[in-house]
């Protein structure tokens, strides 16, 4: 069976595809991709994506030693790093650990929340997403600056952040928490760099993210039917050059500026999944529930059409592709298989375990198996062997996050810092 994990687009997903979410949200902090998944009382889910290029932390390139250990009052649910400062949430509390692992401050929000990646232009605000919305805390002392009740944040924008709740979609100010504008929630939506796109009742609409004004609106019922059959509301994904619609009926790429057709792709036996690969490319995976199906083909396209394919393993069943940048070069990582691809779609390496991307390399965390202890390791990008590996005896579940020159290892309610 071949399925695809939802792209990190801030779009509510139906249960059509398998969701591949890491055991702990900290694993994604370094890339700035999905860091929290929240499910409301009525079953709607919202995932957070940075939407902005995050600066990758500086790696620890020589074998680190344990520098400090901190016991938290519950399992860590989220976190982010700003320089050497680490901000964590445990469900009941939010706290800052300084470079020495000392608790700088700790607060208990009224509702459980998960710390997400800081906005690059507002690192003085710690953003914590709740089931119903979000709160902003002062990074200096944890004082609450604002509370957003309209819905959780789903994507950062150059100026502000998009939110999506049970009844509203809109844009808010990260510094003040003020809602700039909002509209009624829709079946599907995607925040792009300059616009919010919605799909509702057979109509696809574009709104300017700055003002909320409608820019264009077209019917998608006829536009998105590759084979003429009735299909569900399409999933949406968007980058600078393409607005991608995917459904059981196939994939359609539109010009995000005016909604004009660019190209179409037929679905697999059970539909097609897709997502953003870079500023100008998207990936597509025709899905097939037949367990005897051949190895999947992950297609890569830009606004002009087919670019190539990504190499996959024969036993690939789920993909979760995300982009990152090192020294101005674009790469993509599949967090499921551990493959990293360069801009030419060539595999530069395959890495084991739960991965965290840092500047020029990756940390890989593996849980204990049989008689082997859990461990975490550092790989230079493109290297076949780990530069160093640290074994962790007696740890059953672990995750690794990154701050500058610091490896943060989370094991249940214990947090360790290695330098």
């Amino acid at each position: 069976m071949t399925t695809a994990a939802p792209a990190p687009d801030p779009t509510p997903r139906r249960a059509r595809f398998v969701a591949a979410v890491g055991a702990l949200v900290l694993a994604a902090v370094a890339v700035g991709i999905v860091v929290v998944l929240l499910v409301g009382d009525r079953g709607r889910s919202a995932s957070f994506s940075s939407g902005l290029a995050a600066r990758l932390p500086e790696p620890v390139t020589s074998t680190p030693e344990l520098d400090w250990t901190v016991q938290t009052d519950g399992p860590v649910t989220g976190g982010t790093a700003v320089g050497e400062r680490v901000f964590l949430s445990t469900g009941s509390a939010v706290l800052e650990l300084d470079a020495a692992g000392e608790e700088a401050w700790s607060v208990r929000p009224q509702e459980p929340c998960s710390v997400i990646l800081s906005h690059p232009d507002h690192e003085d605000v710690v953003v914590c997403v709740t089931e119903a919305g979000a709160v902003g805390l002062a990074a200096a002392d944890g004082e609450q600056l604002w509370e957003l009740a309209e819905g959780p944040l789903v994507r950062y924008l150059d100026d502000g952040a998009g939110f999506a709740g049970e009844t509203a979609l809109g844009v808010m100010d990260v510094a003040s928490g003020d809602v700039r504008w909002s509209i009624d929630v829709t079946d599907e939506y995607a925040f792009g760099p300059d616009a919010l796109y919605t799909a509702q009742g057979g109509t696809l609409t574009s709104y300017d993210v700055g003002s909320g004004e409608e820019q264009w609106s077209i019917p998608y019922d006829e536009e998105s039917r590759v084979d003429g059959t009735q299909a569900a509301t399409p999933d949406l994904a968007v980058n600078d050059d393409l607005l991608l619609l995917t459904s059981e009926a196939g994939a359609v790429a539109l010009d995000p500026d005016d909604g004009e057709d660019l190209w179409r792709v037929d679905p697999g036996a059970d539909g097609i999944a897709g997502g953003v690969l870079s500023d100008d490319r998207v990936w597509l995976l025709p899905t097939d529930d037949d367990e005897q199906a051949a190895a999947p083909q992950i297609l890569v396209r830009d606004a002009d059409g087919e670019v190539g394919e990504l190499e996959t393993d024969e036993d690939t069943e789920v993909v979760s592709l995300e982009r990152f940048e090192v020294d101005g070069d674009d790469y993509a990582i599949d967090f499921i298989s551990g493959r990293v691809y360069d801009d030419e779609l060539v595999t530069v390496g395959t890495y084991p375990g739960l991965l965290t991307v840092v500047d020029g390399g990756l940390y890989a965390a593996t849980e204990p198996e049989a008689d082997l202890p859990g461990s975490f390791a550092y790989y230079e990008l493109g290297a076949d062997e780990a530069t160093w590996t640290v074994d962790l005896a007696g740890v059953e579940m672990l995750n690794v996050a990154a701050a500058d020159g610091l490896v943060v290892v989370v094991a249940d309610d214990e947090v360790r810092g290695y330098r």
Side-chain angles (χ1 to χ4, degrees):
M1 179 177 68
T2 302
T3 56
D9 246 347
T11 305
R13 300 294 178 185
R14 296 177 295 276
R16 184 163 62 233
F17 303 119
V18 174
V21 180
L24 190 67
V25 296
L26 281 172
V29 166
V31 191
I33 61 157
V34 177
V35 293
V36 65
L37 184 66
L38 300 170
V39 180
D41 293 338
R42 283 179 275 172
R44 284 180 68 89
S45 65
S47 58
F48 172 80
S49 170
S50 169
L52 302 175
R55 182 186 68 83
L56 295 175
E58 298 173 5
V60 176
T61 56
S62 57
T63 305
E65 296 183 355
L66 180 63
D67 189 37
W68 48 260
T69 300
V70 173
Q71 292 290 139
T72 60
D73 62 358
V76 175
T77 62
T80 189
V82 177
E84 293 186 339
R85 303 165 69 191
V86 177
F87 301 94
L88 302 173
S89 57
T90 65
S92 61
V94 178
L95 64 150
E96 179 200 342
L97 301 178
D98 63 19
E102 296 292 333
E103 184 179 293
W105 53 258
S106 176
V107 297
R108 293 183 177 273
Q110 292 183 348
E111 295 184 49
C113 67
S114 296
V115 169
I116 61 175
L117 190 76
S118 297
H119 191 292
D121 293 335
H122 298 283
E123 292 183 342
D124 57 338
V125 179
V126 178
V127 179
C128 200
V129 174
T130 67
E131 185 174 284
V135 295
L137 307 175
D141 56 14
E143 178 185 0
Q144 182 167 316
L145 303 174
W146 50 259
E147 181 177 4
L148 178 72
E150 282 78 1
L153 303 191
V154 291
R155 172 168 171 154
Y156 285 144
L157 307 167
D158 285 338
D159 183 21
F163 64 84
E166 294 289 346
T167 61
L169 290 167
V171 173
M172 57 85 68
D173 184 279
V174 177
S176 67
D178 293 338
V179 174
R180 293 175 178 168
W181 60 266
S182 66
I183 60 172
D184 291 340
V185 75
T186 57
D187 286 343
E188 296 289 338
Y189 59 88
F191 281 93
D194 304 309
L196 164 66
Y197 302 90
T198 67
Q200 175 78 22
T203 300
L204 185 69
T205 306
S206 169
Y207 299 89
D208 180 83
V209 294
S211 65
E213 294 182 359
E214 182 178 316
Q215 300 184 114
W216 53 259
S217 184
I218 60 172
Y220 64 74
D221 272 352
E222 295 300 326
E223 304 293 340
S224 63
R225 298 299 181 260
V226 174
D227 60 2
T229 61
Q230 185 66 26
T233 303
D235 292 330
L236 307 180
V238 62
N239 60 15
D240 291 350
D241 293 353
L242 304 96
L243 172 60
L244 180 66
L245 287 67
T246 53
S247 73
E248 293 92 338
V252 180
L254 306 177
D255 187 323
D257 293 332
D258 54 22
E260 291 294 318
D261 267 37
L262 297 176
W263 45 257
R264 296 168 178 247
V265 173
D266 290 337
D270 296 283
I272 194 167
V276 171
L277 192 65
S278 67
D279 289 340
D280 59 357
R281 292 177 177 181
V282 295
W283 61 268
L284 297 169
L285 176 63
T287 59
D288 192 340
D289 283 338
D290 182 2
E291 294 186 0
Q292 303 302 317
Q297 292 181 311
I298 302 177
L299 312 176
V300 178
R301 289 197 162 215
D302 61 16
D304 295 324
E306 186 172 350
V307 175
E309 297 180 6
L310 295 177
E311 181 183 6
T312 61
D313 300 319
E314 290 185 2
D315 59 352
T316 296
E317 295 183 349
V318 181
V319 295
S320 179
L321 286 163
E322 303 301 338
R323 63 161 295 191
F324 64 97
E325 184 179 304
V326 175
D327 295 331
D329 295 324
D330 281 331
Y331 294 87
I333 181 170
D334 176 11
F335 283 98
I336 306 302
S337 68
R339 283 182 180 269
V340 175
Y341 306 91
D342 64 16
D343 193 46
E344 301 297 323
L345 311 185
V346 175
T347 300
V348 299
T350 302
Y351 307 96
L354 195 58
L355 303 176
T356 300
V357 181
V358 291
D359 191 12
L362 307 95
Y363 296 138
T366 56
E367 295 183 0
E369 184 176 347
D371 295 330
L372 298 176
S375 66
F376 64 99
Y378 171 68
Y379 291 83
E380 291 186 0
L381 195 59
D384 294 328
E385 301 291 335
T387 302
W388 53 256
T389 301
V390 175
D391 291 335
L392 295 172
V395 175
E396 294 185 3
M397 285 190 63
L398 64 93
N399 203 308
V400 170
D404 285 339
L406 176 71
V407 186
V408 181
V409 176
V410 180
D412 294 325
D413 56 356
E414 183 180 80
V415 182
R416 305 177 184 180
Y418 288 80
R419 294 187 184 282

